[in-house]
Amino acid sequence: MTPSWERPGIGAVGGARCRRGIGAGPASVSGARAAHAGGAGVTLPIMLVAAAVCPCPPLLVPEIAAGAAFELDAARAACSDALGVLAAARPDRLVVVAPAPGDGTEHHPEGTPGSFRGFGVDLGVRLGQGGGPDDERELPVSLAVAAWLLERSSGWPDVPVEGIGVGDTLAAGRCLDLGREVAAGAGRVALLVMGDGSACRTLKAPGYLDERAAPYDAGIARALGAADTGALAALDPALARELRVAGRAPWQVLAGAAEGARLGGALLYEDAPYGVGYFVAAWS
């Protein structure tokens, strides 16, 4: 089954809810997480300073959307605002988390290339500024969309960037643990989290209409807008698969990374064009 973020089909557009103002909630505060190893208490600093959540359809790239590019103008603008929140947090490094096929994780160093040739567009991107890996691996489509967003973002700081492709069937506990590991790394960490909601919102959606899809996406919107890590951590992987949700695993990585970080959330955009739920949010 082809994931929804790799489908180039275009359909009817619903009404977007776009919030261009950014705020909602306290500024990031350094904290500490208590972990226990061998019976001894170990304090791990929480260094997640901000996060941005964006959708990852290739149609965000105007060259792919072609004559329908205007339909996602509001989504692109909201993504730019969310990236502005990341830049304002002055991170020491950026970790991009995006969905990928499978049940594991794959790390992509700075400079890894990607392209949209599979969608008939001769357009290449690169994750950050580095020279890339020695092998010929390319970014999965979801991370290529993230790289495209970063390349078009004005004022993005010159900080190291790395990408992580998270398998769409990766268990919730492993997603949470991965997020905790990312946040416990060196320096002030910012996350760019890519992922889509249900692909079952309309009759013309990639997964056809499922009456559970709209309430599910409404819950995601509430959780992202409130920076509710508990709600994201509790997402059921089985239900997400049934509703063809591409963002479940990356959102749970975010939930693990943000535990105890006391970030506030703002939902900047919510819509279901083409029958797929798209969200943009900023946590700071």
Side-chain angles (χ1 to χ4, degrees), residues 1-2 15 26 30-31 47 54 58 74 77 97 137 140 149 155 160-161 167 173 177 205 216 220 273 279-280:
M1 180 182 298
T2 303
S30 297
M47 295 302 290
C54 294
V97 182
R137 282 186 307 154
L149 286 173
V161 181
D177 287 343
Y216 183 97
I220 296 297
F279 313 96
V280 180

Side-chain angles (χ1 to χ4, degrees), residues 2 27 69 105 108 180 185 202 231:
T2 303
T105 60
H108 300 270
R180 295 171 187 130
T202 67

